[in-house]
Amino acid sequence: MRFLSSRRRHPAAKALLLVLGLFVMGALYTVMAPAGQSSADTGTSQQVEEGRALFAVGCSSCHGLNGEGQASGEIQGPPLAGVGAASVEFQVGTGRMPMARPEAQAPVKQNRYTPEEVAALAAFVATLGPGPEIPDPSQYDPAGVSEEDIARGGELFRTNCSACHNFEGAGGALPGGKYAPSLYGVSNQHIYEALITGPQQMPVFSDGVLKPEDKRAIIAYLNTLHEEPSQGGLTLGGLGPVSEGLWSWIIGIGGLSAIAVWIAAKGTKAK
């Protein structure tokens, strides 16, 4: 104690205490900090290198060799650090990426990569920074979801999604030449990945906004809705009561107007 007390006024004492404090804080953070979301650890080094080679050929012209992004002239690609493996699986797995040319929105098209190549690309991009992982099948498989949860999924969908995708997920137009795509035929995995990555205009529905069981309930609702048989008649785009009421008004008023004209014409002839 005498040794320490005799040296506490030393000019270097404050600097040493600061270094010691930083070291202790760093050690505590390393022990207590939660693990970041990244699937880089799940990909083998060989898979990552295969993904790097595929990325250099098919993606680097827009996103840069290291996913740093670029915006020069007509070639524009956002940086990919932190987008996560799930985003790559969604964008490449649905054929949206690579884009053939700059457009307002990347359309769905035929996927040019095999599942193994998509996984390799995802593993490489995951090394660029922590991001959402590719979900496990148990997270998006609607098997075993109760009818009560399916009904709750419908409420969540109408509250959070129907403004863009409409009441039955048929899609709809958005400003600037963009659109919300139809959800008919979209796999459960891609719906879940879209929710956690927020592609294009879509917001990210993190677990803090929609819990994993809520996302699964929405997927179960869409599956149930799209499996229902058509009862005949015109669907009117699945837009709900607005379009149905509009057509009822047009046909109803038109029919009444025609009847009124016919009665007036008959009255004129009788005179």
Side-chain angles (χ1 to χ4, degrees):
M1 294 298 293
R2 289 182 179 179
F3 174 81
L4 292 175
S5 61
S6 62
R7 286 164 175 75
R8 64 184 179 182
R9 298 185 182 277
H10 192 278
K14 291 183 178 180
L16 289 173
L17 286 173
L18 179 62
V19 171
L20 179 62
L22 291 173
F23 177 79
V24 171
M25 290 300 294
L28 288 173
Y29 179 82
T30 302
V31 173
M32 300 176 66
Q37 287 185 316
S38 176
S39 59
D41 294 335
T42 62
T44 63
S45 58
Q46 181 181 354
Q47 186 184 42
V48 170
E49 289 307 312
E50 290 174 358
R52 187 190 302 275
L54 290 167
F55 187 90
V57 173
C59 313
S60 62
S61 59
C62 294
H63 295 287
L65 280 172
N66 297 307
E68 68 275 16
Q70 61 176 336
S72 59
E74 293 186 358
I75 299 178
Q76 297 184 4
L80 299 181
V83 301
S87 181
V88 177
E89 207 289 325
F90 174 83
Q91 297 285 359
V92 179
T94 59
R96 288 178 167 86
M97 292 291 161
M99 292 181 70
R101 57 187 176 277
E103 297 183 56
Q105 183 165 320
V108 176
K109 59 182 184 294
Q110 184 66 38
N111 179 16
R112 57 184 286 186
Y113 293 98
T114 66
E116 292 76 18
E117 290 173 333
V118 173
L121 279 169
F124 166 68
V125 172
T127 65
L128 303 178
E133 299 178 359
I134 296 174
D136 186 83
S138 62
Q139 294 177 274
Y140 55 78
D141 185 2
V145 176
S146 66
E147 292 186 5
E148 181 182 354
D149 284 337
I150 291 174
R152 183 170 58 84
E155 293 178 2
L156 290 168
F157 181 84
R158 288 187 291 274
T159 301
N160 297 283
C161 315
S162 64
C164 296
H165 292 283
N166 93 18
F167 293 93
E168 61 177 25
L174 296 173
K178 300 175 182 179
Y179 57 90
S182 170
L183 301 180
Y184 279 88
V186 180
S187 71
N188 297 333
Q189 179 180 354
H190 288 151
I191 293 175
Y192 194 98
E193 289 170 344
L195 287 167
I196 62 176
T197 62
Q200 302 179 104
Q201 297 77 242
M202 184 172 171
V204 175
F205 291 93
S206 65
D207 290 348
V209 178
L210 283 177
K211 297 178 182 178
E213 55 267 29
D214 293 336
K215 298 182 180 74
R216 191 161 166 253
I218 289 175
I219 292 171
Y221 164 74
L222 289 172
N223 278 228
T224 302
L225 180 66
H226 295 167
E227 288 169 2
E228 289 183 355
S230 174
Q231 303 300 327
L234 298 174
T235 63
L236 302 178
L239 298 177
V242 175
S243 63
E244 294 165 4
L246 174 64
W247 281 106
S248 298
W249 188 86
I250 291 173
I251 294 171
I253 295 297
L256 290 173
S257 300
I259 292 172
V261 170
W262 179 76
I263 292 174
K266 287 201 70 173
T268 304
K269 286 181 181 180
K271 292 178 180 180

